[in-house]
């Protein structure tokens, strides 16, 4: 089998890699400090998914809560939070609501693309990368798995 190089940036097991290579039945990630190898014949399945940035969702909820609570309490006349903080009410309320909307849009529109590689271990290898990087790795590995399946049957 020839050597196949996937020239994209990947992140796996907490390390970043400039490329991935497939040679003699092994998927290899190498950088100056870490080397990860997966035996492709033992690869049982691969699954593409998304991971969300939870901190963006937290910022969105906090901004939404602060903006709406301040606006509601001030309009009811119960508590004037901007006056207590000595800030402009529009800056506090609409600024936090705008921050919440931007954070929520960032959360929904820009997920982290992930490819899970199951090789029989209890925890799969999680490979992160750009949309193109994950798609290239998935199609390359899928083709390898199809060829292996045809050889076995």
């Amino acid at each position: 089998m020839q050597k196949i190089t996937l020239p994209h940036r990947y992140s796996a097991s907490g390390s970043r890699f400039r490329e991935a290579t497939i040679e003699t039945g092994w998927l290899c990630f190498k950088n100056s400090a870490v080397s990860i190898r997966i035996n492709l014949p033992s690869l049982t399945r691969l699954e593409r998914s998304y991971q969300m940035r939870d901190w963006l969702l937290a910022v969105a909820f906090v901004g939404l809560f602060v903006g709406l609570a301040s606006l509601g309490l001030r309009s009811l006349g119960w508590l004037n939070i901007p006056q207590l903080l000595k800030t402009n009410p529009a800056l506090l309320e609409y600024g936090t609501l705008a921050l919440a909307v931007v954070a929520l849009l960032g959360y929904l529109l820009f997920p982290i693309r992930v490819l899970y590689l199951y090789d029989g271990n209890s925890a799969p290898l999680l490979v992160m990368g750009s949309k193109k990087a994950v798609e290239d790795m998935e199609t390359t590995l899928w083709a390898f798995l199809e060829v292996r399946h045809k050889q076995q049957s």
Side-chain angles (χ1 to χ4, degrees), residues 19-78:
E19 65 183 15
T21 57
I22 299 173
E23 57 182 324
T24 62
W26 290 88
L27 172 64
C28 305
F29 297 96
K30 295 178 187 173
N31 65 15
S32 61
V34 178
S35 177
I36 298 174
R37 292 173 48 118
I38 295 178
N39 189 3
L40 289 179
S42 67
L43 191 67
T44 57
R45 80 174 199 206
L46 54 106
E47 178 181 316
R48 185 172 35 169
S49 184
Y50 298 97
Q51 271 190 346
M52 305 307 254
R53 294 172 173 91
D54 294 334
W55 62 271
L56 274 176
L57 189 62
V59 167
F61 281 132
V62 167
L64 190 65
F65 176 76
V66 169
L68 290 178
S70 177
L71 186 64
L73 291 173
R74 191 171 58 86
S75 67
L76 291 172
W78 289 348

Side-chain angles (χ1 to χ4, degrees), residues 8-22:
H8 301 287
R9 294 183 185 270
Y10 295 100
S11 189
S13 294
S15 299
R16 294 178 182 231
F17 304 96
R18 292 187 188 268
E19 65 183 15
T21 57
I22 299 173

